[in-house]
Amino acid sequence: MENMEQTSGGGGGSTGKWIIGLIVLALVIWGLVAANKNKNGDKGTENKEAGVMEKGPYKVGVLLPLTGDAAVYGEPLRNVIEIAASEINAEGKIKLEVIFEDGKCNGKDATSAIQKLVNVDKVQFVLGGGCSGESLAAIPVAEQAKVVMVSALSTNPKLTGISPYFFRLAPSDSAQGVMDADLANKKGYKTVAALVEQTDYATGVYDVFNTAFTKYDGKTVKEEYPSESGDFRTQLTKLKAANADALLLVSQSATAAGKILKQMQGMNWKPQIIITESLTTDAQFLMDYKDMLEGAYGAEFKISASNEKFKKLSEVYKTKHGKELPYGSFSAAVYDTVYIFADGVNAVGYNGEKLAQWSRTIKNWPGASGDVTIKPDGDSQNAYSLSVVKGGKLEPYTE
């Protein structure tokens, strides 16, 4: 009996150890699975054994100006993003969860927004910024966290090659500024007045224009205004007194530009005007101020009229929101960034570092904004073209 009890006791101990071992092994396996999920995001992980990708949903952050004057861009583009995301989700191949944050078109708020997206929401991909100042401020935070960013709107030349974690579909203002300067030279302008908003975008356009125009022995007379300004008469009076051949109006939004044109009209000043793509892309602005803008020159991020994806987007937007698609080229580019994100996740998984590397392989990607190719410096091969305002609409410029 005693021997049996000892034998029985020994067997029970072995069995207990065996059970404990199984529990430990199960915990180790669970831990490895959990670690793999965390590495690839809270949701939507890669099943490496099966070699397939789960559907998600995958979090995608959005950084746009949703309040302030620049919200005239941010809110319509939010609508475009929601259209693209709903289409992708309806297809069922991949599910997206879109998280919007307000960058307010300035670096301070954009920094707070990107920190929330990266540290709280744990996103691996961000659409934005909208304004160049948003992107310039957000990129260092995203890069440190190895989160990739793509902008359809930010055009400041400083963004070229700024980070392997950033790319953009909008053309650089380095091309726009040179194009405007070349035009001014061909027109025989010797002096160009410039009214420039104090933002990274506007300053970037002006700096490129000024550098290129002075190489032609041209002269610029510049006045600046803060974004919150509503009275521009002091600056306009000085610029009018310069007797310049043309006025370069570099405004972040049509809201301020409209006030400027009204005050110019009150001063009975109607110079030859050169506007930037922030205004040429706003069809409503061109129509509202068609008399003041008649004959104005401007750069345009143009889309082929035969682009079927763009036609479809325009139709869906009008049906859903009861108005024409605003900022055509930039709306198309924003729409494309959502689909690019989905394609990237399907290609390499929900991982910012891999998505950043994948972005540099994008070549002739067929989008609503045209065939997209991303160069090693993160810029796209999209380009500007010169246009002239006639009857409140843009027409191609011909010499």
Side-chain angles (χ1 to χ4, degrees):
M1 190 75 173
E2 180 179 359
N3 291 335
M4 289 181 64
E5 289 178 357
Q6 288 178 350
T7 303
S8 174
S14 299
T15 302
K17 291 179 181 179
W18 180 72
I19 293 172
I20 292 172
L22 282 177
I23 293 172
V24 171
L25 179 60
L27 288 173
V28 169
I29 293 173
W30 176 85
L32 290 173
V33 172
N36 188 54
K37 286 187 68 175
N38 290 333
K39 181 180 180 181
N40 290 281
D42 292 334
K43 298 179 180 180
T45 60
E46 184 179 358
N47 185 333
K48 293 185 178 180
E49 291 183 2
V52 297
M53 190 69 63
E54 294 180 7
K55 294 181 179 180
Y58 297 98
K59 294 178 180 179
V60 54
V62 178
L63 180 58
L64 286 174
L66 300 175
T67 57
D69 284 350
V72 295
Y73 300 113
E75 282 300 336
L77 296 176
R78 176 178 183 150
N79 295 336
V80 171
I81 290 171
E82 289 175 340
I83 289 173
S86 65
E87 290 176 350
I88 292 170
N89 286 342
E91 290 176 358
K93 296 179 181 178
I94 183 175
K95 295 293 183 181
L96 306 184
E97 178 186 346
V98 184
I99 304 171
F100 290 93
E101 291 296 330
D102 185 7
K104 300 182 181 180
C105 203
N106 68 71
K108 178 181 177 182
D109 289 291
T111 299
S112 298
I114 191 68
Q115 287 174 339
K116 189 260 185 182
L117 289 170
V118 168
N119 298 321
V120 177
D121 299 309
K122 306 293 184 182
V123 302
Q124 294 293 299
F125 196 101
V126 174
L127 309 180
C131 299
S132 291
E134 291 176 341
S135 291
L136 287 166
I139 289 169
V141 178
E143 180 175 356
Q144 184 175 13
K146 295 184 178 181
V147 170
V148 68
M149 289 178 57
V150 55
S151 178
L153 300 168
S154 299
T155 55
N156 189 289
K158 293 179 182 178
L159 292 168
T160 300
I162 191 171
S163 169
Y165 286 87
F166 176 81
F167 66 105
R168 57 179 167 178
L169 272 60
S172 169
D173 284 327
S174 59
Q176 179 181 190
V178 170
M179 186 177 290
D180 289 339
D182 289 344
L183 173 68
N185 178 61
K186 290 177 181 178
K187 291 293 181 181
Y189 302 158
K190 300 301 181 183
T191 303
V192 172
L195 185 55
V196 183
E197 187 170 350
Q198 293 172 342
T199 66
D200 290 302
Y201 161 74
T203 301
V205 175
Y206 170 77
D207 287 345
V208 174
F209 174 87
N210 182 57
T211 299
F213 191 52
T214 53
K215 289 181 179 179
Y216 291 122
D217 295 325
K219 176 185 176 183
T220 58
V221 180
K222 180 178 74 165
E223 288 291 326
E224 297 182 347
Y225 67 91
S227 297
E228 63 273 14
S229 179
D231 187 348
F232 311 91
R233 287 171 292 186
T234 298
Q235 294 94 326
L236 291 172
T237 298
K238 292 179 181 179
L239 293 175
K240 182 179 179 181
N243 293 317
D245 299 301
L247 170 67
L248 175 66
L249 178 56
V250 194
S251 176
Q252 187 81 49
S253 74
T255 303
K259 296 176 183 178
I260 291 169
L261 291 176
K262 287 181 179 178
Q263 291 176 22
M264 288 172 59
Q265 192 172 35
M267 296 169 57
N268 196 30
W269 185 33
K270 190 178 179 181
Q272 173 62 56
I273 297 176
I274 302 173
I275 56 177
T276 56
E277 41 73 32
S278 60
L279 302 178
T280 60
T281 56
D282 191 332
Q284 190 62 52
F285 169 77
L286 298 180
M287 185 58 67
D288 288 345
Y289 298 96
K290 63 180 182 179
D291 293 336
M292 285 291 291
L293 293 172
E294 183 68 21
Y297 300 113
E300 180 184 9
F301 174 16
K302 196 172 181 62
I303 295 176
S304 171
S306 62
N307 188 307
E308 292 299 327
K309 289 187 177 181
F310 179 70
K311 288 181 181 178
K312 178 186 174 184
L313 170 61
S314 300
E315 292 169 0
V316 171
Y317 192 95
K318 187 172 184 178
T319 300
K320 187 174 180 63
H321 296 285
K323 58 182 69 176
E324 298 293 335
L325 178 71
Y327 317 113
S329 54
F330 290 114
S331 289
V334 166
Y335 179 81
D336 287 345
T337 61
V338 186
Y339 274 91
I340 285 174
F341 165 72
D343 282 0
V345 171
N346 279 325
V348 298
Y350 189 63
N351 179 286
E353 190 169 7
K354 292 180 180 179
L355 287 166
Q357 296 170 356
W358 173 83
S359 72
R360 297 313 196 261
T361 69
I362 297 173
K363 185 176 182 181
N364 296 325
W365 185 90
S369 63
D371 289 344
V372 177
T373 294
I374 302 302
K375 298 183 289 186
D377 61 10
D379 279 357
S380 75
Q381 290 187 349
N382 290 328
Y384 291 111
S385 60
L386 274 175
S387 299
V388 59
V389 181
K390 291 186 179 180
K393 296 183 179 181
L394 284 181
E395 293 185 6
Y397 170 76
T398 55
E399 296 182 5

